Amino acid sequence: MKIEIVENREQSLFVYNDDELLFHSTIKFNWLRKNLVKIFDSSDKLIFELQCYEAPFKTSKYKILFQDFNIKEITEEYICFDEDKTLTNQKSDFLSFNQNCFYTYKENKVAETKQKLWNSPQKIILNINEKDMNLLKFIIIHVLSTKTGYNSNSD
């Protein structure tokens, strides 16, 4: 299945499947580099909210404030949910000029994302294996959590 994630001028991200809106995110920037990201479903219901703490030259830290799921932890590299499930996000090619990544679950590749590095606005293509559709919402939550407002980090 092919999912398209598109950024608007306010650096919100919108998730589409065949032109049908599935999810969208917003970001409220804070001058202390503590950004508030909210994720909504297709009916505009808040389903996830987190605070992103950005320190110069360090990996961002995420604090979950609200959720309709059972997500334990989010980092740039993984998302932990339910009792002991973890999806890992890995770069496809270390020396690439693109932001291509893939997600693994129990050491099996379940999805991949394709994105050009210096593309503004962002456009991410997510391809997920049909047999792993039960993981789709967690992959989307991870992408929206870590990529909403991403272009602001390079300004």
Side-chain angles (χ1 to χ4, degrees):
M1 171 184 261
K2 182 178 174 182
I3 304 291
E4 186 174 75
I5 304 167
V6 182
E7 182 183 51
N8 72 0
R9 290 183 181 170
E10 289 80 37
Q11 297 187 15
S12 297
L13 294 177
F14 295 83
V15 180
Y16 296 98
N17 179 24
D18 294 328
D19 295 326
E20 177 186 344
L21 180 66
L22 302 176
F23 299 94
H24 71 280
S25 62
T26 62
I27 187 164
K28 182 178 180 186
F29 294 102
N30 183 306
W31 69 276
L32 296 175
R33 310 281 293 167
K34 296 178 183 177
N35 300 324
L36 181 66
V37 175
K38 293 183 178 185
I39 300 173
F40 302 87
D41 66 10
S42 60
S43 62
D44 214 24
K45 177 186 170 207
L46 179 66
I47 59 169
F48 198 76
E49 182 177 28
L50 73 154
Q51 191 90 48
C52 175
Y53 300 91
E54 299 176 20
F57 309 110
K58 293 187 179 180
T59 304
S60 298
K61 304 237 186 270
Y62 301 93
K63 179 180 178 184
I64 299 169
L65 303 175
F66 170 81
Q67 63 177 312
D68 273 353
F69 307 101
N70 192 15
I71 296 173
K72 307 275 187 224
E73 182 180 12
I74 290 183
T75 71
E76 295 284 333
E77 293 83 26
Y78 62 85
I79 180 171
C80 295
F81 55 97
D82 293 338
E83 291 301 316
D84 59 354
K85 297 178 182 174
T86 301
L87 276 164
T88 305
N89 182 21
Q90 301 172 7
K91 290 197 182 281
S92 294
D93 187 2
F94 183 72
L95 298 173
S96 175
F97 288 106
N98 294 319
Q99 292 277 316
N100 299 337
C101 299
F102 61 92
Y103 283 87
T104 58
Y105 177 70
K106 294 184 179 179
E107 299 183 20
N108 295 314
K109 183 177 174 181
V110 296
E112 65 181 348
T113 61
K114 295 185 184 228
Q115 174 189 10
K116 292 188 177 172
L117 181 61
W118 292 297
N119 199 25
S120 186
Q122 287 189 82
K123 182 175 181 182
I124 302 167
I125 302 299
L126 169 65
N127 289 302
I128 184 166
N129 300 331
E130 291 291 330
K131 66 181 175 104
D132 298 308
M133 291 301 292
N134 59 320
L135 302 171
L136 179 63
K137 65 184 172 193
F138 297 106
I139 294 171
I140 290 174
I141 294 292
H142 186 262
V143 170
L144 296 181
S145 295
T146 60
K147 296 294 186 184
T148 301
Y150 179 79
N151 280 339
S152 70
N153 295 342
S154 60
D155 292 343

